[in-house]
């Protein structure tokens, strides 16, 4: 994500076609038995509704399948990345080279592993949507996940991003995470060993989150439901509707709120092409309908430079830029 940090230097990685490209389609068929969707427009897989085509898109449903896919892409040195719900990514207009793995409803089981009066341990496959997990908790009368109501995306994306709201975040409810590395090796780690921090899970890139184990408690179903409703209403009254990735920037260290800094810099309503700083919530850089990824990157850079100039603070994007590389 250095590309995002050094925003002035972002360019698409599709600009140069690498050597593996010509043999790619046949090779892919050799090592992946499942369905491949070619040249899928990422507009359809991201809440930003921007981004060019993913060269090859696959939807693994199991751990073995995933390991054999990783072994294939490793042998051919094909670039790859994993996404969940696409609610925290900004994809280059030129698209994504290589293989894009989407973990979603084919990899979404939820199981109660241990149930005692003090605590309930729940295992969730990371392709599950966070919304369906929160709803499931409500139905089971389990409390602990209410903070996550209304956060879009998958459980995997939330585990990786340490998604949070209303004073809660994933690191506070996660007990363990099962991970696969680039070699296809699987390990289950205690969340306390993972160096979780604000919107960051502390693992190296190339790790895939497979399962999250959540430590929850039994509670009153009606009270849990009511609490979720209240938090959802609060979210709706503070956040703009329409295509976005939620808060674009992380809050800088200290007591600073990125949204407040952007607002104080007078940037609400500032637009670049179809991208605009929301009038409702200054940390939302929204797609007004016609934005390109380039518009959003240029708006990001403008906001970063204005805030730096006025307050001496660097705003680091929370949103992950995919398909961009440094020049
Ligand atoms: C309207 C709106 C409101 C939002 N509100 C909040 C909020 O209140 N709090 C908050 O924290 N976020 C919020 N977000 C941001 C976003 O929803 C969260 O970061 C979410 O957890 C991302 O999940 P995802 O599945 O969409 O991840 P994606 O966008 O698909 O991916 C995000 C990153 O995680 C990686 N990744 C995804 N799945 C895996 C996996 N299984 N293994 C390894 N890496 C993986 C991707 O490579 C990428 O780097 C909001 C977004 C929107 C659009």
């Amino acid at each position: 994500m250095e590309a995002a940090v050094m925003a002035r230097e972002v360019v698409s990685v599709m600009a140069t076609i690498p050597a593996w490209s010509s043999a790619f389609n046949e090779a892919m068929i050799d090592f992946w038995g499942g369905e491949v969707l070619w040249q899928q427009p990422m507009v359809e897989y991201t809440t930003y509704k921007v981004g060019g085509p993913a060269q090859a898109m696959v939807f693994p449903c199991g751990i073995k399948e995933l390991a054999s896919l990783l072994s294939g892409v490793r042998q051919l040195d094909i670039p790859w990345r994993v996404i969940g719900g696409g609610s925290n990514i900004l994809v280059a207009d030129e698209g994504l080279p290589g293989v894009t793995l989407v973990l979603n409803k084919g990899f979404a089981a939820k199981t109660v592993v241990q149930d005692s009066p003090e605590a309930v341990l729940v295992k969730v496959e990371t392709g599950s949507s966070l919304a369906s997990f929160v709803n499931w908790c409500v139905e089971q009368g389990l409390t602990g996940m209410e903070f996550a109501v209304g956060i879009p995306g998958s459980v995997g994306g939330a585990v990786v991003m340490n998604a949070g709201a209303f004073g809660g975040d994933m690191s506070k409810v996660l007990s363990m995470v099962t991970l696969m590395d680039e070699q296809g090796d699987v390990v289950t780690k205690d969340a306390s060993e993972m160096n979780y921090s604000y919107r960051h899970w502390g693992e190296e890139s190339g790790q895939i989150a497979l399962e999250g184990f959540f430590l929850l408690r039994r509670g009153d179903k009606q009270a849990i439901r009511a609490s979720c409703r209240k938090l959802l209403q609060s979210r709706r009254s503070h956040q703009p509707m329409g295509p976005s990735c939620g808060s674009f920037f992380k809050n800088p260290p200290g007591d600073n709120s990125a949204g407040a800094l952007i607002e104080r810099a007078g940037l609400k309503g500032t637009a670049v092409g179809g991208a605009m700083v929301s009038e409702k919530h200054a940390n939302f850089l929204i797609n007004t309908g016609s934005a390109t990824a380039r518009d959003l990157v240029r708006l990001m850079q403008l906001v970063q430079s204005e805030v730096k100039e006025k307050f001496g603070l660097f705003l680091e994007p929370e949103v992950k830029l995919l398909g961009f590389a440094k020049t």
Side-chain angles (χ1 to χ4, degrees):
M1 218 35 52
E2 297 75 17
V5 177
M6 297 306 294
R8 235 166 261 114
E9 297 174 12
V10 289
V11 292
S12 162
V13 294
M14 290 293 258
T16 51
I17 303 293
W20 50 260
S21 188
S22 55
F24 179 50
N25 294 17
E26 298 96 85
M28 196 57 202
I29 290 159
D30 278 351
F31 66 72
W32 175 249
E35 191 184 14
V36 182
L37 300 182
W38 300 99
Q39 300 298 335
Q40 282 296 293
M42 287 303 293
V43 174
E44 291 171 17
Y45 294 88
T46 64
T47 55
Y48 245 145
K49 305 284 171 222
V50 299
Q55 195 172 10
M57 184 176 274
V58 296
F59 302 83
C61 293
I63 292 180
K64 269 194 187 160
E65 206 184 23
L66 199 51
S68 90
L69 179 67
L70 287 187
S71 150
V73 293
R74 200 174 54 247
Q75 276 164 36
L76 293 171
D77 205 18
I78 293 171
W80 65 275
R81 83 282 315 157
V82 57
I83 65 164
S87 65
N88 214 29
I89 54 175
L90 172 55
V91 176
D93 297 316
E94 291 77 7
L96 297 174
V99 180
T100 300
L101 290 93
V102 185
L103 290 184
N104 63 11
K105 52 185 183 289
F107 192 66
K110 304 166 193 67
T111 329
V112 173
V113 181
Q114 267 174 32
D115 198 343
S116 74
E118 297 78 40
V120 180
L121 187 66
V122 172
K123 180 172 83 173
V124 187
E125 289 178 344
T126 49
S128 166
S129 78
L130 194 55
S132 81
F133 177 39
V134 173
N135 286 340
W136 182 85
C137 290
V138 175
E139 290 312 314
Q140 302 279 322
L142 294 173
T143 181
M145 287 306 300
E146 294 88 323
F147 74 89
V149 70
I151 302 181
S154 65
V155 167
V159 164
V160 170
M161 295 304 306
N162 192 14
F166 305 110
D169 66 32
M170 298 299 277
S171 71
K172 296 190 176 117
V173 281
L174 268 173
S175 164
M176 295 175 290
V177 180
T178 306
L179 301 164
M180 181 180 283
D181 66 16
E182 289 187 80
Q183 314 303 314
D185 294 330
V186 176
V187 65
T188 299
K189 274 193 179 178
D190 266 5
S192 59
E193 292 170 10
M194 290 175 64
N195 294 323
Y196 262 104
S197 59
Y198 169 59
R199 302 293 175 266
H200 186 61
W201 72 333
E203 291 298 305
E204 284 170 21
S205 64
Q207 297 278 346
I208 301 179
L210 299 174
E211 298 161 340
F213 291 77
F214 296 84
L215 213 43
L216 306 172
R217 280 173 292 113
R218 293 257 161 234
D220 176 67
K221 203 194 267 197
Q222 296 313 322
I224 299 168
R225 197 187 301 279
S227 165
C228 284
R229 279 216 187 99
K230 208 171 138 202
L231 295 178
L232 210 47
Q233 271 166 10
S234 160
R235 188 175 271 284
R236 286 188 182 135
S237 65
H238 291 102
Q239 294 183 352
M241 303 301 282
S244 79
C245 264
S247 291
F248 196 96
F249 299 102
K250 292 184 181 183
N251 292 323
D255 249 354
N256 298 297
S257 136
L261 291 169
I262 299 168
E263 188 169 351
R264 280 170 53 209
L267 293 169
K268 270 188 166 181
T270 302
V272 174
M276 190 176 87
V277 177
S278 164
E279 297 274 11
K280 195 165 181 182
H281 189 316
N283 199 12
F284 276 54
L285 307 191
I286 57 173
N287 172 3
T288 59
S290 58
T292 60
R294 192 160 291 117
D295 293 340
L296 284 156
V297 168
R298 284 175 51 216
L299 184 61
M300 170 187 86
Q301 293 167 339
L302 191 151
V303 169
Q304 283 174 322
S305 83
E306 290 285 313
V307 168
K308 179 85 183 158
E309 194 184 307
K310 291 205 164 64
F311 307 110
L313 289 168
F314 177 70
L315 291 182
E316 183 191 343
E318 177 182 321
V319 171
K320 305 287 185 190
L321 273 72
L322 299 187
F324 298 91
K326 271 201 218 177
T327 45

